[in-house]
Amino acid sequence: MGKREKIYEGKAKILYSTDDPNLVIQYFKDEATAFDGKKRGVIQEKGRVNNQISAKVFETLESQKISTHYVKTLSETEMLVKRLEMFPLEVVLRNIATGSISKRLGIEEGVTFENPVLEYYLKNDALGDPLLNRSHIQVLGLASEKAVDEMEDLTLRINRVLLPFFLERVVKLVDFKLEFGRLDGEILLGDEVSPDTCRFWDAGSETIQRLDKDRFRKDLGGEQEAYLEMYERVCN
Ligand code: TMP
């Protein structure tokens, strides 16, 4: 599968075209950003870890009949994926309060929600990825009501598969962000599922031990070790 030209470069990944117009190569970078790109750095081996954790997660979801863009792994840092028409939305699911919901609504970090909380954000760095409700999605013409229902249903199903998947690896799936796209009328999961886009807490600790990008966002140190620990627990 020959790599052709760069078709898109995001903050954490680059997409390359291939000789098949329906397939693209997703390359994972070591570069890390936070706060809409205002904070920048590098986490050594992050690309390799995120590619391989994402691959394992996509394979697990596919085995449960949840469609994703994943086709196969090409190298340590690259996967072949189906080309989707992406919705400019981030769908966030929260099992435990932390991050922006704790800040915005004053909910103490660590509180477990009885039912998962779903949120939508507009993918727009210039606007700071604002929180959206369903009316905003309609007024901006970002996705039909039916498509939002489908993404919501898929996100809840993905949570039901991934909660036990990570718990078996002694990891609490605190929250995560998904991006979806369309292919031939079907909605598929795209992007990545990794320590960049999920919050993972060690389930074997009494206190909060963060195994995700919060170590970078909050300047806690030990980010490479946290990513490698997640790689060990998920891929080995
Ligand atoms: P938040 O608490 O900062 O809103 O983050 C919720 C989840 O979304 C968390 O798992 C981290 C993930 N996330 C991203 O993947 N990209 C982003 O730009 C942000 C802000 C959060």
Side-chain angles (χ1 to χ4, degrees):
M1 186 56 63
K3 211 189 238 178
R4 304 211 11 209
E5 64 223 36
K6 196 190 274 192
I7 45 180
Y8 176 79
E9 177 156 6
K11 296 191 290 293
K13 297 187 291 300
I14 303 175
L15 298 182
Y16 296 94
S17 60
T18 66
D19 24 16
D20 182 335
N22 300 313
L23 297 175
V24 298
I25 293 168
Q26 178 159 264
Y27 165 77
F28 290 75
K29 306 192 223 180
D30 286 346
E31 279 79 15
T33 68
F35 315 115
D36 304 313
K38 289 184 206 77
K39 177 179 165 85
R40 290 176 177 274
V42 170
I43 302 173
Q44 296 297 340
E45 301 189 82
K46 175 169 86 75
R48 173 171 90 77
V49 169
N50 286 1
N51 181 45
Q52 293 174 63
I53 290 178
S54 292
K56 179 84 183 178
V57 167
F58 288 139
E59 286 164 6
T60 302
L61 294 174
E62 292 280 353
S63 77
Q64 299 301 311
K65 309 264 176 289
I66 295 169
S67 302
T68 78
H69 68 159
Y70 179 73
V71 178
K72 64 178 177 178
T73 298
L74 296 174
S75 73
E76 283 201 327
T77 52
E78 294 166 310
M79 59 170 64
L80 187 66
V81 299
K82 295 172 186 163
R83 190 176 200 143
L84 307 183
E85 201 185 316
M86 298 303 291
F87 294 98
L89 289 175
E90 300 189 342
V91 182
V92 168
L93 183 146
R94 302 178 188 271
N95 292 307
I96 300 177
T98 185
S100 69
I101 198 168
S102 290
K103 198 166 167 208
R104 186 181 316 110
L105 302 180
I107 305 171
E108 194 190 340
E109 179 170 66
V111 169
T112 300
F113 297 116
E114 201 171 313
N115 293 303
V117 174
L118 272 169
E119 298 173 343
Y120 306 95
Y121 293 86
L122 178 65
K123 235 180 117 66
N124 184 324
D125 275 348
L127 295 177
D129 290 354
L131 181 66
L132 300 171
N133 64 25
R134 291 182 67 127
S135 313
H136 297 141
I137 294 175
Q138 294 314 306
V139 93
L140 295 172
L142 305 173
S144 68
E145 287 280 8
K146 183 167 166 278
V148 178
D149 283 345
E150 240 177 279
M151 285 188 264
E152 204 162 297
D153 182 56
L154 281 166
T155 302
L156 291 168
R157 283 177 58 203
I158 289 166
N159 190 47
R160 286 196 291 270
V161 174
L162 294 186
L163 273 173
F165 171 85
F166 284 109
L167 207 51
E168 279 165 22
R169 291 154 176 88
V170 201
V171 171
K172 285 186 202 171
L173 178 60
V174 173
D175 59 25
F176 56 86
K177 181 267 296 180
L178 303 176
E179 296 184 24
F180 294 93
R182 263 184 194 293
L183 178 64
D184 301 329
E186 194 194 356
I187 295 180
L188 280 74
L189 177 63
D191 195 50
E192 68 183 290
V193 180
S194 73
D196 270 21
T197 63
C198 304
R199 286 196 177 96
F200 298 125
W201 292 355
D202 179 27
S205 304
E206 291 287 312
T207 55
I208 297 173
Q209 298 299 329
R210 301 175 202 275
L211 297 173
D212 59 57
K213 194 174 159 189
D214 268 356
R215 302 204 72 83
F216 170 79
R217 295 188 187 101
K218 293 169 171 281
D219 285 321
L220 299 175
E223 46 268 48
Q224 187 187 9
E225 292 76 8
Y227 277 70
L228 291 173
E229 179 63 29
M230 282 304 300
Y231 174 80
E232 286 299 319
R233 293 193 195 188
V234 172
C235 301
N236 281 343

